[in-house]
Amino acid sequence: MEEKTPIVVDKDSMQLKDISWWFLALILIFVWAIYVFLTRENYQEAFNFIKIGIQVTIKTSLIAYAFALMLGLLAGLGRISKNLFFNNLSRLYVELIRGIPMLVLIFFIALVGVPMLVDGINAFGGWLTTIGLSSAGETLSSFGNKAFTMNGRAIFALAITYGAFLAEIFRAGIQSIGRGQMEAGRSLGMSYGQTMRYIILPQAVRNVLPALGNDFVAMVKDSSLVSVLAVRDITQVSRLYAGSTFRFREAYVTVSIMYLTITVLLSLLVQLMERRLRKND
Amino acid sequence: MTEPRDMIVIKDLYKHFGNVKALNGVNLTVKKGKVIVVIGPSGSGKSTMLRCINHLEVPTSGEVWIDGQHLGKNEKELNAIRAEVGMVFQLFNLFPHLTALENVTVAQKVVRGRSKEEAEEIAMAQLKRVGIPEKAGVYPNNLSGGQQQRVAIARSLAMNPKIMLFDEPTSALDPEMIKEVLDVMLDLAKEGMTMVCVTHEMGFARSAADEVLFMDEGVIVEHTTPHDLYNNPKEERTKLFLSQILQH
């Protein structure tokens, strides 16, 4: 047999291209941004103007995500349910949402869906009045479109959209748990729902926590789309600032840095969580 | 008509998975306190029969009674009956997100409505019975196969079942761990538990079983005492099977 010379890796000859410099670059960008915001008046002004939208962006994302989680869990359970009606309904929901661009969905839900819902509530109120429940009926039938603020509609639209994405994550998580777990639970006399709640879901949710975290990051970014409804999130506020001062560079550098700060911090958190989960396995 | 008064009564049980006929008419009566060992080649329907007893697998046709109660379609009734029938699986199926103690308490709390303290007291007693009370706080992934299977047995016993079903409880274990699980099963048999065990452990069958069933192609081919089955099997298929597993 021919003898092979072992390959020796010369560590000293490591070149710049071998270093993963992306993180360094990211930090440099942040350092540059901090420097600019501290020294340049134009940027300070832009920052002070745009920061009033931070609260709306964070609030919108958090509330919408909380509702999306509930909706997603429900639809995810529906996707694996043996109840055919529930199953088909969930599938329809997921397919409808995934087949329509998010921007169009936000317009549709806020400007068509909510008025339709209001009409429905009014009609229901009218019906309640005719069967004699006039006090409850009148409250419902006097419900106007104005009862739903654009902020509320934006949250509603984001929640419905992301509910469909989260449903698929929950479905995958539940399906990743072996059949034996359900069988063991059922063999002990627990019902399907009890086994789901105490045995399957705790494991499934743990498995999909990183995916849920990543989708939250994505939702923070997609919350910028609600600016089309004139909701004063940081995107909308920076558009207003740019429009009135023509300082496009200051406006969009500032808003980009704001998003980047939130998403990079959240991504780091997700990675940390992922690493801890893996260690516990 | 069979009087369905005995612990387990199975009548004309059929189970088909598409074209695969796993069970082709099984009739069986198990009296209270009896230990039944089921043997047979793989794919003979042993596990399917066991899983039909607590309707983990819903039979295509046929009837099952547990202690006089008929297993029907009502989910609530089925859950109540399943709580009375313990089951031990080949791959343990412990809940990996719960400690050994929590594995044994969860169903007690959820199904039996016992308080945390009561459930834990019973769980500790059962863990002691299977010989690993010191592992109460340990997660399944940090237990050996034999220890996991003993926790699984404790988990079932904590529900105070009338019947214990064992589905090849030792076939996924390393040889040195088989004995610790069989010892627990032997003790259980001595205490008068009604047991149906799918297992090829001859030693266990000889020392604990009251009856042995040989199954093949979805039917019970031979149903007799362990002594008779191993020493003078009547059916050709039984002889062939025994000669294969006893060769080495």
Side-chain angles (χ1 to χ4, degrees), chain A residues 179-192 194-195 198-200 202-203 206 280-281, chain B residues 51 54 56-57 75 79 82-83 85 87 89 93-98 106-107 110-111 155-156 159:
Chain A
R179 238 181 84 189
Q181 293 289 306
M182 179 55 83
E183 288 180 351
R186 300 308 301 274
S187 80
L188 290 164
M190 289 199 260
S191 68
Y192 178 86
Q194 288 169 335
T195 312
Y198 295 102
I199 309 301
I200 309 290
Q203 298 180 56
R206 188 175 175 277
N280 288 344
D281 269 341
Chain B
R51 294 156 61 85
N54 63 357
L56 218 50
E57 213 74 76
E75 275 289 320
N79 291 337
R82 284 202 191 103
V85 182
M87 189 162 200
F89 301 87
N93 294 351
L94 286 184
F95 308 133
H97 62 302
L98 302 176
V106 61
V110 173
V111 179
R155 177 175 71 177
S156 289
M159 301 296 287

Side-chain angles (χ1 to χ4, degrees), chain A residues 1-279:
Chain A
M1 271 229 328
E2 200 181 319
E3 260 189 54
K4 284 179 186 166
T5 26
I7 302 160
V8 181
V9 181
D10 185 0
K11 278 190 182 152
D12 294 329
S13 73
M14 198 143 96
Q15 290 174 332
L16 187 64
K17 68 176 167 62
D18 298 324
I19 301 169
S20 46
W21 49 268
W22 65 271
F23 195 70
L24 204 69
L26 213 55
I27 288 172
L28 275 177
I29 290 175
F30 280 118
V31 169
W32 172 80
I34 290 169
Y35 171 75
V36 164
F37 285 123
L38 287 177
T39 57
R40 305 267 288 273
E41 227 167 85
N42 282 358
Y43 281 91
Q44 278 170 15
E45 198 190 293
F47 183 85
N48 286 330
F49 191 89
I50 295 169
K51 77 177 180 199
I52 54 171
I54 291 178
Q55 208 195 350
V56 173
T57 291
I58 291 177
K59 223 189 203 169
T60 306
S61 306
L62 280 178
I63 299 175
Y65 194 71
F67 282 115
L69 276 177
M70 288 186 253
L71 208 55
L73 181 58
L74 209 64
L77 286 171
R79 290 279 276 113
I80 53 154
S81 169
K82 280 191 187 125
N83 179 327
L84 284 182
F85 176 75
F86 195 29
N87 191 315
N88 280 299
L89 190 70
S90 307
R91 184 71 195 264
L92 179 69
Y93 164 58
V94 170
E95 293 298 331
L96 279 179
I97 300 296
R98 287 204 305 191
I100 303 173
M102 201 178 298
L103 185 57
V104 176
L105 264 174
I106 286 173
F107 278 128
F108 186 90
I109 293 170
L111 305 175
V112 183
V114 169
M116 267 165 62
L117 191 72
V118 168
D119 287 347
I121 291 172
N122 291 345
F124 183 64
W127 177 74
L128 280 184
T129 316
T130 57
I131 63 162
L133 292 161
S134 54
S135 64
E138 268 157 33
T139 328
L140 288 183
S141 51
S142 65
F143 226 56
N145 270 318
K146 289 202 175 122
F148 292 92
T149 61
M150 275 299 166
N151 284 33
R153 294 183 200 201
I155 289 170
F156 194 55
L158 277 178
I160 289 184
T161 311
Y162 264 81
F165 301 154
L166 298 188
E168 290 300 278
I169 293 180
F170 279 118
R171 179 185 61 81
I174 293 168
Q175 284 177 338
S176 74
I177 306 300
R179 238 181 84 189
Q181 293 289 306
M182 179 55 83
E183 288 180 351
R186 300 308 301 274
S187 80
L188 290 164
M190 289 199 260
S191 68
Y192 178 86
Q194 288 169 335
T195 312
M196 235 342 143
R197 174 162 167 216
Y198 295 102
I199 309 301
I200 309 290
L201 279 179
Q203 298 180 56
V205 168
R206 188 175 175 277
N207 287 352
V208 299
L209 268 181
L212 292 177
N214 284 331
D215 259 35
F216 181 63
V217 176
M219 177 179 247
V220 170
K221 289 185 293 170
D222 283 337
S223 76
S224 68
L225 291 171
V226 304
S227 61
V228 299
L229 300 177
V231 171
R232 293 166 79 91
D233 73 326
I234 51 176
T235 305
Q236 174 67 1
V237 178
S238 61
R239 274 173 65 196
L240 291 175
Y241 181 76
S244 60
T245 60
F246 295 103
R247 288 187 190 140
F248 291 101
R249 189 189 298 177
E250 286 85 345
Y252 292 116
V253 164
T254 306
V255 74
S256 300
I257 291 291
M258 282 180 182
Y259 278 119
L260 210 52
T261 310
I262 300 174
T263 53
V264 167
L265 284 180
L266 285 174
S267 297
L268 286 177
L269 267 177
V270 172
Q271 278 176 37
L272 216 74
M273 181 170 72
E274 217 168 337
R275 212 170 294 165
R276 281 196 58 178
L277 286 177
R278 215 175 301 150
K279 222 191 312 177

Side-chain angles (χ1 to χ4, degrees), chain B residues 95 97-107 109 120 123 136 139:
Chain B
F95 308 133
H97 62 302
L98 302 176
T99 62
L101 185 73
E102 289 164 343
N103 262 278
V104 187
T105 55
V106 61
K109 288 189 276 188
E120 281 178 359
Y139 285 91

Side-chain angles (χ1 to χ4, degrees), chain B:
Chain B
M1 169 103 193
T2 336
E3 275 293 312
R5 268 201 210 130
D6 290 305
M7 207 38 123
I8 305 172
V9 177
I10 300 173
K11 197 163 166 263
D12 295 331
L13 200 63
Y14 287 80
K15 177 68 187 179
H16 298 170
F17 298 100
N19 289 327
V20 182
K21 294 175 177 167
L23 292 180
N24 276 314
V26 169
N27 289 286
L28 179 67
T29 302
V30 180
K31 289 197 180 342
K32 189 170 190 291
K34 294 287 179 198
V35 176
I36 314 291
V37 163
V38 185
I39 62 170
S42 67
S44 59
K46 317 178 291 283
S47 288
T48 309
M49 181 185 77
L50 207 65
R51 294 156 61 85
C52 281
I53 291 178
N54 63 357
H55 271 36
L56 218 50
E57 213 74 76
V58 178
T60 308
S61 68
E63 312 293 330
V64 177
W65 286 266
I66 300 287
D67 199 18
Q69 278 181 291
H70 179 252
L71 275 71
K73 288 223 165 9
N74 184 314
E75 275 289 320
K76 269 203 177 133
E77 282 174 24
L78 272 182
N79 291 337
I81 295 172
R82 284 202 191 103
E84 308 290 328
V85 182
M87 189 162 200
V88 175
F89 301 87
Q90 184 177 358
L91 297 174
F92 330 133
N93 294 351
L94 286 184
F95 308 133
H97 62 302
L98 302 176
T99 62
L101 185 73
E102 289 164 343
N103 262 278
V104 187
T105 55
V106 61
Q108 292 189 65
K109 288 189 276 188
V110 173
V111 179
R112 294 277 190 241
R114 291 175 188 156
S115 70
K116 189 169 182 275
E117 292 73 30
E118 191 188 1
E120 281 178 359
E121 200 177 305
I122 293 170
M124 280 314 295
Q126 292 302 342
L127 286 176
K128 236 173 243 156
R129 180 182 191 171
V130 300
I132 40 172
E134 75 280 5
K135 298 289 182 190
V138 179
Y139 285 91
N141 286 350
N142 298 326
L143 294 172
S144 72
Q147 290 167 340
Q148 286 191 50
Q149 194 59 296
R150 286 188 282 161
V151 173
I153 294 173
R155 177 175 71 177
S156 289
L157 290 177
M159 301 296 287
N160 311 110
K162 296 172 181 166
I163 299 165
M164 285 289 285
L165 307 174
F166 291 86
D167 190 1
E168 307 206 28
T170 56
S171 17
L173 295 177
D174 290 335
E176 73 269 25
M177 292 170 186
I178 290 177
K179 187 179 175 296
E180 61 188 53
V181 171
L182 288 181
D183 284 346
V184 171
M185 290 169 65
L186 271 173
D187 286 345
L188 213 53
K190 272 183 213 144
E191 287 164 29
M193 177 65 78
T194 310
M195 294 162 66
V196 181
C197 317
V198 173
T199 179
H200 290 138
E201 297 296 336
M202 298 284 225
F204 176 77
R206 282 217 169 91
S207 54
D210 298 299
E211 300 161 28
V212 178
L213 304 180
F214 173 69
M215 285 186 75
D216 195 16
E217 293 176 355
V219 292
I220 295 173
V221 177
E222 207 160 335
H223 181 176
T224 173
T225 62
H227 180 268
D228 282 354
L229 191 97
Y230 291 122
N231 295 318
N232 50 33
K234 291 193 179 57
E235 302 286 331
E236 269 318 305
R237 280 192 279 179
T238 319
K239 281 180 200 164
L240 186 67
F241 176 73
L242 286 175
S243 74
Q244 276 163 348
I245 65 165
L246 293 179
Q247 235 161 30
H248 297 288

